[in-house]
């Protein structure tokens, strides 16, 4: 038996089978999660389908009001949900620069309210004696949301709130590593929304695959790895599902020689290590001009050697890596970099004992073709590479299959902006990285995804256009 439930058609649903949920700091199972079958999926899709006509016709102002109420309710349960996040995800409540579970809950609440206030007004293309032509935005129907384990609740909110705001109904499947915060939040949300509007089922990738082939789901919004995104894209073809795919990133940052190292280093460190490096748009490859290379390496190493890593339930800067597979990958990338002769300025070896702990690691003098540079590590390890020619740095930064974010750092903002606009990525920052907000579109180019989230642009992705042509003549 589990203390947690699926939510289908507004009701808490128990299951015959459960799967264990581990605390990555202790490697101990601390809860059982109900495991949905394909029958549960069919029931959830049928409930969402039944709820759609009424929800899609609900007055826009009423949907906005209800979503504000969802934001308020989640805020009222912030402490409880943040504690659950720490248990299943590992992140500390406060953490380095205050970017832990409390920060995730702050984002949850902020995104609810900001998205509740967005609107998609009718656009008038023509209005003369001959005709009036209007462009309307209509909801797609039933949206399937599949989420990852790094920001379990924040990413769920990024998916479901714009989907609901624009009149769709939703079925969400959280990651099997971190399902509980989402199940608990779904209970809270279902006390506000009509039955069937927002359903949550839990299970592994096979349940996600069943969602992406389901003939009665109209769109999949997915955040996760690029290989899984490709599988979803292939299996969504059956009924031409609409897709928003937010996939992996291997973001590069270029630091020009006029950069104030002491001012930039703490920001670079924070945006590389946000969420213990397990962030899609974290800074993951740092290219520094040779004139300031050693100064930047030493400044980053000083910060890295001063932070603490440990069980997120204590007062630490960083928690464990969320799961064994990711931990093993970070360990392997570090070991390969070490074998290649790279210079380690901090960390480098997994922490002995229980828990998936890996200390914050800064790696200098590393070759471009090392796996740590070529692949997204998704953990607390940052390679620092040297350049002498800016065009060469730009070429190396763009030499990646990914294109989520990128940044340029300089005291000459105009020069940095011109260079940033030549980065092949969905968001380019100047003197910052990984900063997102609810009204600015965010998404990847190349193999980092399809479509964008946030703001009016993100909201439009949950709609199709209907053109109304009214002849007057
Ligand atoms: P993952 O692709 O392994 O899993 C994500 C989700 O997909 C889980 O819920 C999983 O159960 C499900 N899934 C697995 N196989 C599936 C299949 N065949 N069909 C449908 N669903 C399936 O990713 P992850 O390991 O949870 O997350 C880490 C990755 O996510 C990193 O690469 C990271 O960069 C990326 N990410 C991207 C963003 C972004 O906004 N671009 C944000 C966070 C994470």
């Amino acid at each position: 038996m589990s203390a947690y439930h699926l939510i289908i058609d507004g009701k808490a649903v128990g299951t015959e089978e459960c799967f264990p949920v581990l605390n990555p700091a202790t490697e101990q199972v601390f809860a059982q999660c109900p495991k949905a079958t394909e029958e549960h999926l069919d029931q959830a899709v049928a409930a969402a389908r039944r709820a759609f006509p009424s929800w899609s016709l609900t007055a826009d102002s009423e949907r906005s009001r209800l979503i504000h109420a969802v934001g308020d309710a989640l805020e009222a349960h912030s402490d409880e949900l943040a504690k659950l996040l720490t248990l299943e995800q590992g992140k500390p409540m406060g953490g380095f620069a205050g970017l832990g579970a409390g920060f995730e809950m702050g984002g949850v609440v902020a995104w609810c309210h900001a998205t509740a206030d967005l609107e998609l007004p009718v656009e008038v293309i023509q209005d003369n004696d001959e005709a009036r032509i209007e462009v309307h935005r209509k909801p797609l129907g039933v949206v399937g949301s599949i989420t990852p384990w790094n920001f379990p609740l924040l990413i769920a909110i990024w998916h479901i709130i714009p989907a609901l705001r624009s009149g769709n109904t939703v079925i969400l499947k959280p990651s099997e590593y971190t399902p509980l915060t989402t199940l608990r939040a779904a209970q809270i949300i279902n006390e506000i929304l009509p039955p069937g509007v927002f359903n949550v089922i839990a299970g592994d990738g096979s349940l996600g695959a069943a969602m992406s082939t389901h003939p009665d789901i109209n769109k999949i919004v997915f955040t996760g790895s690029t290989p899984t995104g490709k599988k979803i894209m292939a299996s969504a073809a059956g009924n031409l599902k609409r897709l928003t795919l937010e996939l992996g990133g291997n973001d590069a940052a270029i630091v020009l020689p006029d950069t104030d190292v002491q001012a930039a280093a703490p920001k670079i460190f924070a945006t590389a290590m946000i969420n213990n490096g397990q962030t899609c748009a974290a800074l993951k490859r740092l290219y520094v001009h040779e004139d300031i290379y050693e100064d930047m390496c030493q400044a980053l190493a000083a910060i890295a050697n001063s932070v603490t890593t440990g069980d997120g339930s204590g007062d630490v800067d960083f928690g464990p890596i969320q799961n064994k597979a990711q931990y093993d990958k970070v360990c392997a990338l570090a070991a390969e970099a070490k074998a290649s002769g790279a210079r380690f300025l901090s960390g480098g070896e997994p922490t002995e004992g229980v828990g998936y702990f890996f200390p914050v690691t800064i790696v200098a003098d590393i070759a471009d073709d090392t796996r740590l540079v070529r692949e997204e590590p998704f953990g607390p390890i940052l390679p620092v590479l040297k350049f002498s020619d800016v065009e060469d740095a730009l070429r190396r930064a763009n030499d990646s299959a990914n294109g989520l974010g990128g940044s340029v750092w300089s005291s000459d903002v105009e020069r940095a902006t011109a260079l940033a606009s030549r980065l092949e990525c969905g968001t380019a920052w100047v003197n910052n990285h990984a900063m997102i907000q609810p009204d600015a579109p965010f998404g990847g180019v190349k193999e980092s995804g399809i479509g964008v989230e946030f703001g009016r642009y993100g909201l439009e992705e949950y709609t199709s256009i209907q053109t109304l042509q009214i002849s007057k003549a």
Side-chain angles (χ1 to χ4, degrees), residues 402-424:
N402 292 115
L404 192 56
S407 61
V408 178
W409 301 70
S410 167
S411 55
D412 181 343
V413 170
E414 209 173 312
R415 182 181 177 213
T417 305
L419 192 62
S421 69
R422 294 171 63 202
L423 286 169
E424 294 168 4

Side-chain angles (χ1 to χ4, degrees), residues 74 103-104 106-112 115 143 145 147-148 150-165 170 172 219 221-223 244 246 274 279-281 404 434-439 442 452-455 458-459 461-462:
L74 292 173
F103 167 79
E104 177 160 352
V108 162
V109 174
W111 252 269
C112 283
T115 310
V143 171
S145 148
T147 56
N150 56 344
F151 288 91
L153 194 55
L154 185 56
I155 291 175
I157 289 297
W158 289 350
H159 290 185
I160 63 180
I161 295 298
L164 297 172
R165 176 73 191 89
V170 176
L172 182 150
K219 171 184 172 114
V221 50
F222 168 75
T223 300
T244 300
E246 297 288 357
I274 179 169
T279 302
C280 50
L404 192 56
M435 290 297 113
I436 50 169
Q437 58 187 58
D439 55 356
F442 171 76
V452 293
E453 299 190 274
F454 313 157
L459 201 57
E461 300 223 353
Y462 292 92

Side-chain angles (χ1 to χ4, degrees), residues 128-147:
N128 56 19
D129 291 347
E130 280 171 30
R132 179 178 167 89
I133 304 177
E134 299 175 351
V135 177
H136 291 246
R137 290 274 169 183
K138 308 194 76 174
L140 298 167
V142 175
V143 171
S145 148
I146 303 173
T147 56

Side-chain angles (χ1 to χ4, degrees), residues 147 149-150 173 176 208 222-225 228 246-248 280 376:
T147 56
W149 47 258
N150 56 344
K173 187 202 86 63
E176 57 274 38
F222 168 75
T223 300
S225 64
T228 305
E246 297 288 357
L247 309 177
C280 50
E376 172 187 36

Side-chain angles (χ1 to χ4, degrees), residues 77-128:
H77 289 86
S78 233
D79 277 355
E80 175 202 344
L81 291 166
K83 281 190 185 119
L84 201 46
L85 271 177
T86 297
L87 276 176
E88 67 177 352
Q89 205 285 335
K91 62 184 75 184
M93 175 67 87
F96 186 79
L99 296 171
F103 167 79
E104 177 160 352
M105 286 311 303
V108 162
V109 174
W111 252 269
C112 283
H113 291 305
T115 310
D117 285 335
L118 290 175
E119 287 187 356
L120 290 177
V122 173
E123 207 182 319
V124 179
I125 300 290
Q126 178 185 321
D127 192 14
N128 56 19

Side-chain angles (χ1 to χ4, degrees), residues 234-286:
S235 54
N239 66 339
L240 285 187
K241 281 185 185 62
R242 275 43 182 176
L243 291 172
T244 300
L245 303 176
E246 297 288 357
L247 309 177
N250 197 10
D251 288 15
I254 300 174
V255 185
L256 299 179
D258 62 358
T259 302
D260 176 344
V261 170
Q262 294 311 319
K267 264 170 123 177
I268 287 176
F269 181 85
T271 58
M273 297 304 164
I274 179 169
N275 205 32
N276 213 14
Q278 302 164 114
T279 302
C280 50
L283 192 167
K284 293 180 181 131
R285 294 177 287 150
L286 185 66

Side-chain angles (χ1 to χ4, degrees), residues 234-459:
S235 54
N239 66 339
L240 285 187
K241 281 185 185 62
R242 275 43 182 176
L243 291 172
T244 300
L245 303 176
E246 297 288 357
L247 309 177
N250 197 10
D251 288 15
I254 300 174
V255 185
L256 299 179
D258 62 358
T259 302
D260 176 344
V261 170
Q262 294 311 319
K267 264 170 123 177
I268 287 176
F269 181 85
T271 58
M273 297 304 164
I274 179 169
N275 205 32
N276 213 14
Q278 302 164 114
T279 302
C280 50
L283 192 167
K284 293 180 181 131
R285 294 177 287 150
L286 185 66
Y287 296 90
V288 183
H289 191 270
E290 60 186 358
D291 288 358
I292 55 167
Y293 183 79
E294 203 49 44
D295 286 352
M296 180 60 79
C297 285
Q298 293 311 324
L300 291 173
I303 306 170
N305 285 314
S306 72
V307 297
T308 51
T309 296
D311 189 325
S313 64
D315 182 17
V316 294
D317 291 311
F318 298 100
I321 292 173
Q322 200 282 324
N323 60 71
K324 175 86 165 58
Q326 197 64 43
Y327 169 80
D328 286 344
K329 177 165 186 192
V330 172
C331 293
L333 293 184
E336 282 174 37
K338 203 163 258 186
S340 78
R343 179 163 56 110
F344 280 64
L345 301 170
S346 70
E349 297 285 341
T351 312
E352 276 181 27
V354 293
Y356 308 134
F357 294 108
F358 198 93
V360 172
T361 299
I362 308 287
V363 187
D365 300 338
I366 180 166
D368 282 12
D369 61 359
T370 316
R371 214 152 63 91
L372 177 58
V373 179
R374 300 297 309 167
E375 292 182 22
E376 172 187 36
F378 222 61
I381 179 164
L382 177 70
V384 188
L385 303 112
K386 195 187 288 182
F387 74 86
S388 49
D389 174 63
V390 175
E391 288 301 319
D392 182 51
L394 184 68
R395 183 193 55 75
R396 290 158 71 193
N398 284 336
D399 179 20
S400 166
N402 292 115
L404 192 56
S407 61
V408 178
W409 301 70
S410 167
S411 55
D412 181 343
V413 170
E414 209 173 312
R415 182 181 177 213
T417 305
L419 192 62
S421 69
R422 294 171 63 202
L423 286 169
E424 294 168 4
C425 56
T427 304
W429 291 275
V430 171
N431 291 329
N432 218 329
H433 205 111
M435 290 297 113
I436 50 169
Q437 58 187 58
D439 55 356
F442 171 76
V445 300
K446 302 203 275 189
E447 292 197 10
S448 285
I450 289 181
V452 293
E453 299 190 274
F454 313 157
R456 177 172 63 79
Y457 301 93
L459 201 57

